[in-house]
Amino acid sequence: MEVRPNAQPGTTEYDDLDALLADVDLEAGTVTVRAGDVLGTFSFVYTVSNPAGDTAMGLIVLKIVRNPVPDYPEVRDTVLTAETIDGFDEGIDVLTGKVTWAGGDPDSLELALWRDTPNATVSGRRIAGTAQADAMVIPFSVTGTATDGSPVTSYGFLRVPGESDLRPTLRTGTGAVTVGENDAVDVDLAEIIAIPRGTDLEISPLASAGGARAGATCELTAATTLRYTAGAGAPWSDTCSIQARLVGGEDWTVLTIRFLIEAEAPQPILSAASRTLSPGQTESYDLRQLTTWTGAPDWGSLEYAVEAAGDQFQVSLTGSRLEVTGADNANPGRTEAVLVRLVSHPDAEAATLTLVVGPAPSTLPKAGTVTQQCSQAGGSTSCEIPVIGIAGEVNPLPGTPLRLAAVTSPANCSDVTFAVATASTVRATWAADAPGASDCTGTFEVADAQGRLSSGERTGTVVLDLRGLPADPPTIEWTAFDATTVTLRVTGAGGSYPAVESFRVSGGGQDITCGADGLCPPITAEAGTKIRYQAWAVNSVGESRTSTSAVTAWPYLAPTAPTAVSAQPVPTSDGSGNVAAVTVGGFDATTGSVRVSSPVTGASETLSVPSGGGEVVFPEFAVGANRQTTLTVTPLSRFDYPPIASGTTEGTSASVVAYGVGAPLVQLRLEPSDDGSGEVRAVATVAANGVGTQLWVGIATGTTCTVEFVGNVTSGEVDEVIAGTVWEDTSARACAEYRIGSTSFGVAAAGPVTAQPTEPIPAPSGTTTYTIAPAPTVSGQTATWSQVSGPVLDHPRYQARYGPSRTTDFASLFRIGDDPGPIEAWWCVGDVCSDDATTITPSGAAYTTQVVFPTTCDADGEPSATMVDAAPGDYSVTTTASPTAGGTETAWEITVSFSGRLSGLDAYTHTGLVCPAPTP
């Protein structure tokens, strides 16, 4: 009758499902659905009816999955009966109309026996064979290719009864036989009873009427002829029961033949019917659909009445039309009977119209979205919010309002809770100190008349627009000040709803209104007077519950510079100076103390100012320098400096030039003469160590130094010539003193310092040659010429020194085999030597040497090499051989002679080496 999406008409869900219905063929009874792009499970409601008008409902469930699902042909078994077994010899079609295959074309399947079966063959879509005494179950397979290209195989069965299992049956399509009231009719049983080919039918003489009609009879008038006599009166249908079997069989089969009686006067007949309605569905049903007539119909004479008890349906009758509505809370699958009677024909039997509760609409209830504004004004801590019948709500059973089932508190507002108040309202409750919020969002579920809950995306949203008192401002800050005012700023907590409009600041008997940005106008107060201020936030609902913690603020006026400042140097016991006495006066009334600081040391000293003013004296202030230095004199306020700025309690500074005076910085140097006069010039140098002083200086050679006035200066030089002796030490000392008037700032001393007057030193004179002894010193195989006699350069006051190292050890200039080359000599006194040098020359050999004679012979019987430490051009080696008497050995003499730079050394001959004579 109908196929429709299982969703609420007019919704997007309904439209999406409707698009999946590819084809609906009501005549053929087929439905084609397509898979969409969305994964999930979807359903469609179908309604079927029979010729009598009875209806039933069912669901087509479509599940769309991500991956392909194997789809195999479904083959219904083929069961042969006594009527169809005769076709087994020619072949039974086991596929046509019996295969369901969504993944391919059933006509493309190939049929085959699953295994070799005796008495069975396959031809096309048919299986042929010969029936046997015993029943057979013939398995077969069907193979094909699915639309995705994959091969598939499925299986079915052909069930063939055995000869002993065959029973006579009424032929397919055998209907009721019509007979008139008080009339009779003969029925040829051989025409309506099917038996296998080659068998004979046997009918029992026993036949009986159904018993509904009192005057009706059934009798067998011939071997296969049944006569039914209707008799008179209702009811207008009846049956005859007969017994039949195949000739030779043992057991009878009872068959029932139906009869319809046509009344002589037209009579209505009520038949039972069934209708299926979903909860909330309304249908108008014409009771004439369950009414038939025996004879000519007379519809105008009919008057119906119904009796219905139950809570699943509501029924109302108007004429012949019965309006039926499924209750919204009806339970699918439940049934209720409506008894239908014909008031106009009391003899007609009543019939039952069975009402079946079909599937509820698949559309689940959907809750809407609601926003409710509530206020904390007056201390309110709760309100109720209607949530049923609001925008966005979907009620699949609109005849019954949805019911609030559950609610969740807003996760974004920790101080707010939601609870079910009634079936249609939510109670919002908040803490007394909860902040206001425009979107305290919770969710709620509703239930429809079927008790189904909204869930997931179908839950509702309840938004509380809580207009709260402003949040307590966390801080009030002191931001600025001058001599007569302070400026404050309030920091809002943020998140207040409604927004903060202003702040009220209170302190010192004043209330001040500050802007929503927290900036306050300047507040007048007396300089130095500390006042505590607090602030409250204000919005359209009211004032914050509590205030900020208090901040203390006061105006501030810095002191002016002192008008009288002076400084004088002060003597120190150690003569270092750097100290002055500083006197400060002329303070204003705000000054509580005064500080003097020096740029030299970075140090400062602070003293309190008497409450009545007057002078403050720093008796020994460390200036840190004995030169003119500008000191900073800073007044400090009696009041605390406001902590909000980086400033201090300092006022306007004054300055004063101050200096210390120490003992003079005296140095003494002696300048000895070098002309042989023996005089020494003593020079005392004084560096400045003070300002505005008199300088007194003295130079002495003894232990006592007496100062004499030099002038009104702080630095200078004083010299004096002292008589001394050449090449002897002369000592002197110096002393100096600063005075201002009669005040001495200390005496300084330098020395004693020693100096030695000198004279020019001549070049050395005397014996200016050196000699190396010509005879060697011999030890074993070694002869050495190393005895050096140096020059003679004696002087009563000077010392002779030789060579680049200016050594006094002349012999140390010589190394065996090394020629020292030219040697120079100087006369020296201490570290002072003559400007000119005298060259020392050799008398004979110029350097020392050494010869090592061999102790072994070579393979030729000759001496090994002789080693000489000397330049090759300064010596020669000769050998003389003397054979022994036997001629087996040779005695050798080795002679070394000298020349060149070694001329003057004696030659030396070495004997004693005997070598074996070489073998001829």
Side-chain angles (χ1 to χ4, degrees):
M1 290 180 61
E2 177 189 33
V3 179
R4 59 177 175 82
N6 191 13
Q8 190 77 9
T11 63
T12 302
E13 181 183 7
Y14 185 94
D15 295 339
D16 292 342
L17 288 174
D18 191 55
L20 300 181
L21 287 173
D23 181 63
V24 177
D25 189 341
L26 296 180
E27 292 295 330
T30 61
V31 178
T32 302
V33 295
R34 64 170 59 89
D37 298 329
V38 179
L39 302 179
T41 302
F42 310 93
S43 61
F44 305 86
V45 179
Y46 67 89
T47 304
V48 296
S49 65
N50 59 15
D54 298 335
T55 63
M57 303 175 75
L59 289 177
I60 300 173
V61 179
L62 171 66
K63 185 175 183 179
I64 301 175
V65 296
R66 186 181 305 278
N67 298 317
V69 177
D71 185 17
Y72 298 93
E74 294 183 6
V75 184
R76 295 195 306 276
D77 292 350
T78 299
V79 181
L80 300 184
T81 64
E83 184 178 4
T84 58
I85 196 171
D86 290 342
F88 187 38
D89 293 340
E90 292 79 16
I92 301 297
D93 187 344
V94 296
L95 298 183
T96 301
K98 299 178 181 178
V99 178
T100 301
W101 188 20
D105 181 9
D107 292 337
S108 66
L109 295 172
E110 295 184 3
L111 176 67
L113 293 175
W114 178 67
R115 63 187 178 189
D116 291 338
T117 302
N119 304 316
T121 61
V122 170
S123 177
R125 305 171 68 82
R126 295 176 176 274
I127 297 177
T130 303
Q132 304 296 311
D134 296 325
M136 293 188 297
V137 177
I138 302 174
F140 59 87
S141 65
V142 290
T143 58
T145 302
T147 54
D148 62 359
S150 60
V152 295
T153 302
S154 192
Y155 303 91
F157 297 95
L158 172 61
R159 301 180 183 274
V160 182
E163 292 179 354
S164 60
D165 297 325
L166 294 173
R167 296 286 186 271
T169 61
L170 292 177
R171 292 187 182 277
T172 302
T174 301
V177 179
T178 302
V179 60
E181 183 183 4
N182 294 316
D183 202 353
V185 63
D186 290 337
V187 179
D188 186 351
L189 298 178
E191 293 293 329
I192 65 173
I193 296 176
I195 60 174
R197 187 171 49 211
T199 61
D200 295 320
L201 177 66
E202 180 182 0
I203 304 297
S204 170
L206 298 176
S208 60
R213 294 175 58 80
T217 62
C218 294
E219 59 181 331
L220 201 67
T221 60
T224 60
T225 301
L226 173 69
R227 173 171 293 169
Y228 173 74
T229 302
W236 309 109
S237 62
D238 203 358
T239 60
C240 282
S241 295
I242 65 167
Q243 298 182 50
R245 66 183 177 187
L246 300 179
V247 173
E250 296 180 358
D251 298 325
W252 297 97
T253 298
V254 178
L255 302 176
T256 300
I257 296 92
R258 293 182 297 113
F259 294 92
L260 291 179
I261 294 88
E262 290 185 350
E264 294 177 348
Q267 292 292 326
I269 302 174
L270 294 176
S271 301
S274 175
R275 304 292 291 183
T276 301
L277 288 82
S278 294
Q281 181 182 356
T282 298
E283 180 181 86
S284 180
Y285 181 69
D286 192 345
L287 295 181
R288 290 184 297 181
Q289 291 181 249
L290 52 79
T291 306
T292 58
W293 289 87
T294 61
D298 182 9
W299 297 107
S301 65
L302 298 180
E303 181 181 352
Y304 294 94
V306 295
E307 295 178 7
D311 57 0
Q312 302 296 297
F313 297 91
Q314 293 85 42
V315 298
S316 62
L317 180 64
T318 303
S320 65
R321 302 203 69 81
L322 181 69
E323 185 171 279
V324 181
T325 300
D328 287 343
N329 60 351
N331 297 319
R334 288 279 300 276
T335 62
E336 285 187 356
V338 177
L339 184 65
V340 181
R341 294 183 295 104
L342 281 171
V343 178
S344 57
H345 296 73
D347 293 336
E349 290 187 3
T352 300
L353 174 61
T354 301
L355 300 179
V356 181
V357 181
S362 65
T363 301
L364 295 175
K366 182 178 184 299
T369 298
V370 61
T371 299
Q372 176 77 30
Q373 188 180 92
C374 298
S375 174
Q376 292 180 345
S380 174
T381 58
S382 68
C383 67
E384 290 194 6
I385 306 172
V387 295
I388 301 298
I390 60 176
E393 179 179 283
V394 175
N395 186 355
L397 300 168
T400 302
L402 296 176
R403 172 179 54 84
L404 175 61
V407 63
T408 62
S409 296
N412 60 331
C413 298
S414 59
D415 295 325
V416 177
T417 58
F418 290 161
V420 176
T422 67
S424 62
T425 61
V426 169
R427 176 176 290 108
T429 304
W430 53 87
D433 58 351
S438 63
D439 59 349
C440 292
T441 304
T443 59
F444 64 95
E445 293 182 349
V446 294
D448 63 8
Q450 287 288 313
R452 299 177 303 174
L453 297 175
S454 60
S455 60
E457 295 179 351
R458 308 185 75 83
T459 57
T461 301
V462 54
V463 180
L464 171 64
D465 180 3
L466 178 58
R467 300 179 65 81
L469 294 173
D472 300 336
T475 59
I476 180 173
E477 298 176 272
W478 181 15
T479 61
F481 61 89
D482 58 24
T484 59
T485 65
V486 295
T487 302
L488 306 178
R489 179 177 62 199
V490 184
T491 301
S496 293
Y497 179 78
V500 171
E501 297 175 352
S502 63
F503 294 93
R504 180 176 67 87
V505 174
S506 178
Q510 300 182 77
D511 278 340
I512 302 94
T513 298
C514 305
D517 57 1
L519 299 179
C520 302
I523 304 171
T524 302
E526 184 178 347
T529 300
K530 297 182 178 180
I531 298 176
R532 288 165 51 88
Y533 296 94
Q534 294 174 283
W536 289 259
V538 179
N539 68 1
S540 59
V541 177
E543 194 173 86
S544 60
R545 299 170 183 84
T546 60
S547 69
T548 63
S549 57
V551 64
T552 301
W554 61 93
Y556 179 79
L557 177 63
T560 60
T563 58
V565 184
S566 62
Q568 294 293 329
V570 177
T572 57
S573 60
D574 60 359
S576 62
N578 300 321
V579 176
V582 181
T583 302
V584 186
F587 301 104
D588 71 6
T590 65
T591 303
S593 60
V594 63
R595 182 180 66 230
V596 177
S597 57
S598 169
V600 177
T601 64
S604 63
E605 185 176 349
T606 302
L607 295 177
S608 297
V609 174
S611 59
E615 290 184 340
V616 174
V617 178
F618 297 81
E620 292 183 346
F621 180 76
V623 177
N626 291 330
R627 62 181 183 277
Q628 288 188 332
T629 302
T630 300
L631 305 182
T632 300
V633 181
T634 306
L636 304 176
S637 177
R638 295 182 184 276
F639 308 125
D640 292 336
Y641 189 82
I644 63 171
S646 59
T648 65
T649 57
E650 297 175 357
T652 302
S653 296
S655 62
V656 63
V657 176
Y659 50 86
V661 174
L665 301 176
V666 61
Q667 292 181 329
L668 176 64
R669 73 177 185 275
L670 300 183
E671 299 175 353
S673 63
D674 58 0
D675 58 359
S677 65
E679 292 182 345
V680 176
R681 180 173 176 259
V683 181
T685 302
V686 178
N689 195 22
V691 178
T693 63
Q694 297 174 348
L695 177 59
W696 298 67
V697 179
I699 297 175
T701 57
T703 58
T704 301
C705 181
T706 302
V707 297
E708 295 181 357
F709 177 69
V710 174
N712 294 321
V713 295
T714 57
S715 63
E717 282 189 351
V718 175
D719 65 341
E720 182 177 330
V721 177
I722 303 172
T725 301
V726 173
W727 303 115
E728 292 185 4
D729 289 340
T730 297
S731 296
R733 65 181 71 243
C735 54
E737 180 183 9
Y738 281 145
R739 298 177 186 175
I740 297 178
S742 61
T743 301
S744 173
F745 287 86
V747 177
V753 177
T754 299
Q756 194 177 75
T758 64
E759 61 183 356
I761 301 175
S765 60
T767 302
T768 60
T769 61
Y770 67 91
T771 302
I772 296 176
T777 300
V778 179
S779 175
Q781 306 301 117
T782 303
T784 305
W785 291 262
S786 61
Q787 293 182 7
V788 180
S789 298
V792 179
L793 303 175
D794 295 336
H795 189 280
R797 194 161 48 235
Y798 308 137
Q799 183 183 52
R801 297 184 183 179
Y802 306 94
S805 62
R806 304 288 176 97
T807 179
T808 60
D809 183 4
F810 183 79
S812 67
L813 299 176
F814 294 87
R815 298 288 184 270
I816 296 295
D818 291 338
D819 189 343
I823 299 174
E824 293 184 327
W826 295 264
W827 272 339
C828 301
V829 176
D831 293 333
V832 180
C833 295
S834 59
D835 293 333
D836 298 325
T838 298
T839 300
I840 307 301
T841 60
S843 175
Y847 60 96
T848 59
T849 186
Q850 178 176 279
V851 178
V852 178
F853 295 96
T855 60
T856 61
C857 304
D858 60 17
D860 296 330
E862 295 184 356
S864 299
T866 299
M867 307 302 295
V868 181
D869 284 337
D874 293 342
Y875 71 92
S876 62
V877 178
T878 59
T879 59
T880 302
S882 298
T884 61
T888 60
E889 292 180 329
T890 302
W892 292 90
E893 291 183 354
I894 303 172
T895 302
V896 178
S897 302
F898 299 98
S899 60
R901 294 280 289 171
L902 292 180
S903 296
L905 296 182
D906 296 339
Y908 178 75
T909 300
H910 175 72
T911 61
L913 177 63
V914 177
C915 296
T919 303

